[in-house]
Structure formats: C-alpha cells, structure tokens
Amino acid sequence: MKEILDAILSPDSTPADFAALKLPESYRAVTLHKDEEQMFAGLDSRDKDPRKSLHLDEVPLPELGPGEALVAVMASAVNYNTVWSSIFEPVSTFGFLERYGKLSPLTKRHDLPHHIVGSDLAGVVLRTGAGVNAWKPGDEVVAHCLSVELESPDGHNDTMMDPEQRIWGFETNFGGLAQLALVKTNQLLPKPKHLTWEEAASPGLVNSTAYRQLVSRNGAGMKQGDNVLIWGASGGLGSYATQYALAGGATPICVVSSEQKAEICRAMGAEAIIDRSAEGYRFWKDEHTQDPREWKRFGSRIREFTGGEDVDIVFEHPGRETFGASVYVTRKGGTIVTCASTSGYMHQYDNRYLWMSLKRIVGSHFANYREAFEANRLIAKGKIHPTVSKVYPMEQTGQAALDVHHNKHQGKVGVLCLAPQEGLGVRNEEFRAKHIDAINRFRNI
C-alpha cells in the first residue's frame, strides 16, 4: 500500500504511473463477521455497541469485473446505515449479500463470511474493468452509493426504480471503509477540487439523499417561499436539507436537540430554530399512545416563526417518534417526505389530518444517478458545503459509529483510510479560501 499512497501524494504521478502500480493481494478494511450476527441478541438497540462488532481486518483483493473500478480510498465517512449494519438491525446485512450473490457468477463475489461496510469514499482510481471509457487510473473521484444492474426497463426512467437497486457498502460488499474499494464506474463522480479527502468523502450519501428528498421532482419539489420543517437539522442528513432550503429560497424551521446544535443551524444561516429538548416536547405519553396536545403545541410554535403559516414540507427521517406530529403540522395540501426512520420504522399518525386535508406522504430513498451528479456538482461549485465535524482514523471506526448511534455528533463524522492525516488533497486553494468559513463551520462549534 505504501507505493500506492506515495503515488497519490506525489504531484508528479501520471495516469501511466498509476496503471503500472502493482496491486496488493490484500488490504485493510472495516468488516462485520457473519458468525457474530447474534452477538447482540436480547439487547435494546441503544445498548448494542458498534465497537464490538466492527473489526479492522486484512481481506483479500476482490476480482475486478466489467464496468467496475478499484479505487484507493483516502477517506470515507460514517452514515446511519453503518450503524444499522454494525448492530444487525433491522436485519443482518449478510442476508443482502446472500441474495445478491445468487444473481450471477460475478455477484457471487459479494457473498462472503465478512462484510466490508461503508457507503462513502474519496480516492483515486487504480484500475478499471472491461468496457470502461469515462475513467482512468489516477482520476481523483468520489463515489455515490447507488448500485444497479439496469437490465430491467423499470430503472431506465429513474434508476432508483431498478428492481436490482442496492446501496453499495450496505446491501453489497467491498464498501468504502477500507484502504481499497470496488465500485461500479457509474458510481464515480469527480472529486471537488477545493476539498480535502475527508471533506470530499463526507457528502456523498447524505447530500444526494437530501437533494432527492427535498429538491427533486421525485421528492418534495421544494420551491421558493416554502416553509420547510427539518428534523435533526444539524445532523448528517438534516444539515444538507437546511442548506438546500436556504439556497433555494425556502424558510427552514430547524428542529434540534441542544443549544450547541441550534448554534450550528444559526451558523448555516437559519433563523427559525426549535430546541425540542429545551422546550420539552413529548409526542408519546407512553410506548403505545401519542399525545395530540403536544402536536398542537408544536404546531403553534412553528407558526410563531412563519407568520401564522403551517409548513409546506416536512423533511422526515426520525420516523416513529415524530411522524404523528409531522403529519399534523403540515399545511393543507402539503407534503411529508420520508426516509430512514432512525427512531423506528412502524409509523403511526391520525389519518384524518392526512386524508381530510389532502396531504401527501412521499417515500424517498437515496438518489438516482442524475440527482447524485447534481448534488455533487453543487458541492463542487461551492453552493453547498461539507459538514464534517470530527474525523477518526480507520482503527477507531467503531467509536465513530457509536457517536452516530448515540446522536453525539454534528454533521458528518469522517474516517481516514489511506490518508495519513487530515488536510490533504486540496487542488484549488484559491477557490477553497473563498469558502473556508462555510467548510469549517461544523468544526468550529
């Protein structure tokens, strides 16, 4: 790996130099072990510790197939799907790998007794498979996490509709929390030149997800003047939704759980902020019963920020804990757009407030290729910025995942893979200087 890293760090390396590099027979990667699927049986979700299930192993180099690329990973990041993988909830990801492995002789590579996780990366292309023309060794790239086969007509209008749609590093193997990663080349996008490796790695999954969920016509189709309620507005997903609302001429109403997180929203430019912990909202009386009085109190608080208007869009991802309130506070004809359900998948709401007020619930999942491209383009143009708050070495990925699991993080938590230190990889210092305060705002609070 030293020769690969030396080539990446050298300003004089050429595509021919990268193509000539000898590939290692193995590499280090963050893995789950199939024989540990039941290690947390009987524990509550919060008591399941990713530090116990995530391992740093030496793994064999996978075979490179047609239309694929082998990428040297300089940095990656932790998403909530890494947490789900690490605590084997709601199901073990080895079931995904087994099913994918049955699709073809090539996909059988993914069905292994270890799962290399991670759905973000920034790095350098080392090899491309047969039929690849758009990318070559030495290209600096980021990867979005949509993996599709595109052998069905269902996916050709919107690739998220492909029946063989999967999330790379979650429902496939050879993910980004590793020194090397295997991706389909249609996952690759140009690395924004003004960002470091760890900054460039962090937006991929959450930025594209927020773009589709909030901006795209496949999601809420946000327009200027909309009032947008954003749950977890300083978190990995919500921090991008907040930026999109502000950049698109909408008014974000940011819901956070602490004054520190409120301050981050103010730093992004938001003014309407609700600290749900400080204001004591309790949407459930007990495990089985919601409290509509709290929905009404919450709705009244929102209208204080909007001049008496209800919200046009609710950016929903907590799920069970908040969904009843989200449906209630949405204006007549408004949209609740939902993904993830980090507090639970079994949503409950009063259908009278949906049906009689002509509201819509829209399901949204990651993004199609075009949406991922547009989201990355906005990062490269300095319109939307990365939200890295903390970076861990690969050896401490378990701790990084625990931070996310227990909501102790702001923005995104990065992980250094091959990169020996933070701050490397910037190719346009002048452009970076114009945006440095926005790039660092999650680190400075």
Side-chain angles (χ1 to χ4, degrees):
M1 300 305 300
K2 182 178 184 303
E3 290 182 3
I4 292 173
L5 181 59
D6 287 345
I8 294 171
L9 297 179
S10 171
D12 301 320
S13 296
T14 67
D17 293 330
F18 282 100
L21 286 170
K22 182 180 179 181
L23 298 180
E25 294 183 356
S26 64
Y27 61 101
R28 294 204 304 165
V30 176
T31 69
L32 297 168
H33 295 175
K34 190 173 185 178
D35 61 5
E36 295 180 344
E37 286 178 303
Q38 300 302 318
M39 68 184 301
F40 297 130
L43 295 178
D44 289 337
S45 292
R46 188 170 179 81
D47 295 329
K48 298 177 182 180
D49 189 342
R51 295 174 299 182
K52 297 179 180 179
S53 57
L54 291 172
H55 305 277
L56 187 58
D57 291 336
E58 192 77 14
V59 298
L61 188 72
E63 173 192 356
L64 182 64
E68 294 180 341
L70 186 69
V71 180
V73 183
M74 294 298 278
S76 185
V78 172
N79 294 290
Y80 216 90
N81 70 9
T82 307
V83 175
W84 289 327
S85 299
S86 69
I87 63 176
F88 305 104
E89 285 191 8
V91 295
S92 167
T93 54
F94 287 97
F96 300 144
L97 304 185
E98 290 169 11
R99 288 190 290 275
Y100 191 32
K102 294 175 182 177
L103 186 65
S104 73
L106 195 62
T107 63
K108 187 172 177 57
R109 295 168 301 164
H110 292 257
D111 185 8
L112 296 170
H114 63 266
H115 185 186
I116 304 167
V117 294
S119 299
D120 284 324
L121 72 73
V124 177
V125 174
L126 297 179
R127 296 284 191 278
T128 58
V132 176
N133 301 303
W135 302 97
K136 62 183 183 299
D139 286 342
E140 296 187 349
V141 295
V142 295
H144 68 76
C145 62
L146 174 59
S147 173
V148 293
E149 305 306 310
L150 286 183
E151 293 184 317
S152 164
D154 294 348
H156 284 262
N157 186 46
D158 176 4
T159 44
M160 283 303 299
M161 300 301 291
D162 190 280
E164 297 296 340
Q165 175 269 320
R166 292 173 175 84
I167 298 298
W168 161 74
F170 178 59
E171 296 168 298
T172 79
N173 220 321
F174 315 121
L177 285 164
Q179 293 176 323
L180 301 175
L182 187 70
V183 299
K184 295 178 184 294
T185 52
N186 52 22
Q187 291 177 240
L188 297 178
L189 300 164
K191 173 189 171 290
K193 295 181 182 299
H194 66 296
L195 299 181
T196 65
W197 294 112
E198 62 275 10
E199 291 161 357
S202 68
L205 186 152
V206 286
N207 183 39
S208 299
T209 300
Y211 182 91
R212 180 182 176 107
Q213 191 172 351
L214 192 56
V215 179
S216 169
R217 67 186 68 181
N218 291 313
M222 183 190 71
K223 66 183 186 302
Q224 289 181 327
D226 278 348
N227 295 312
V228 182
L229 180 68
I230 301 172
W231 294 100
S234 73
L237 188 57
S239 58
Y240 287 96
T242 300
Q243 291 186 70
Y244 279 118
L246 291 165
T251 299
I253 297 90
C254 298
V255 186
V256 296
S257 59
S258 70
E259 175 55 31
Q260 182 185 30
K261 293 181 178 183
E263 189 58 35
I264 289 173
C265 293
R266 294 186 191 101
M268 286 189 283
E271 297 178 356
I273 301 168
I274 298 174
D275 182 343
R276 58 179 299 196
S277 296
E279 298 184 27
Y281 292 104
R282 297 291 182 268
F283 299 127
W284 289 80
K285 296 178 182 179
D286 54 47
E287 185 180 350
H288 305 288
T289 310
Q290 296 194 64
D291 189 350
R293 293 173 301 178
E294 285 291 88
W295 301 348
K296 294 176 183 178
R297 183 165 76 94
F298 186 58
S300 296
R301 183 74 171 110
I302 291 169
R303 288 191 289 274
E304 292 177 14
F305 291 109
T306 62
E309 297 177 343
D310 292 324
V311 292
D312 301 276
I313 299 167
V314 179
F315 186 86
E316 242 294 344
H317 54 97
R320 175 178 170 81
E321 184 180 350
T322 59
F323 204 82
S326 292
V327 170
Y328 178 82
V329 301
T330 307
R331 73 163 178 84
K332 188 171 185 176
T335 301
I336 304 98
V337 60
T338 178
C339 76
S341 298
T342 53
S343 70
Y345 305 98
M346 300 302 291
H347 298 186
Q348 294 181 24
Y349 62 92
D350 188 329
N351 196 47
R352 292 172 297 175
Y353 297 115
L354 186 83
W355 140 54
M356 297 183 71
S357 294
L358 306 171
K359 302 175 187 182
R360 298 185 306 144
I361 296 173
V362 176
S364 187
H365 182 38
F366 189 58
N368 63 36
Y369 287 166
R370 185 67 197 188
E371 290 159 345
F373 172 85
E374 293 293 349
N376 185 66
R377 177 173 174 266
L378 290 168
I379 294 281
K381 292 175 73 70
K383 304 295 185 182
I384 302 294
H385 302 286
T387 62
V388 177
S389 61
K390 191 171 185 179
V391 179
Y392 285 93
M394 196 162 58
E395 292 81 359
Q396 296 180 30
T397 301
Q399 182 62 52
L402 185 68
D403 286 358
V404 177
H405 184 27
H406 289 172
N407 197 30
K408 293 181 178 179
H409 69 302
Q410 284 78 240
K412 283 298 292 288
V413 177
V415 175
L416 296 181
C417 297
L418 278 175
Q421 63 193 57
E422 296 180 47
L424 303 176
V426 177
R427 309 303 181 214
N428 189 336
E429 293 282 3
E430 182 179 359
F431 189 71
R432 179 181 179 82
K434 294 179 181 178
H435 299 285
I436 193 64
D437 290 342
I439 291 169
N440 285 331
R441 61 189 163 202
F442 278 68
R443 292 177 180 268
N444 294 336
I445 292 178

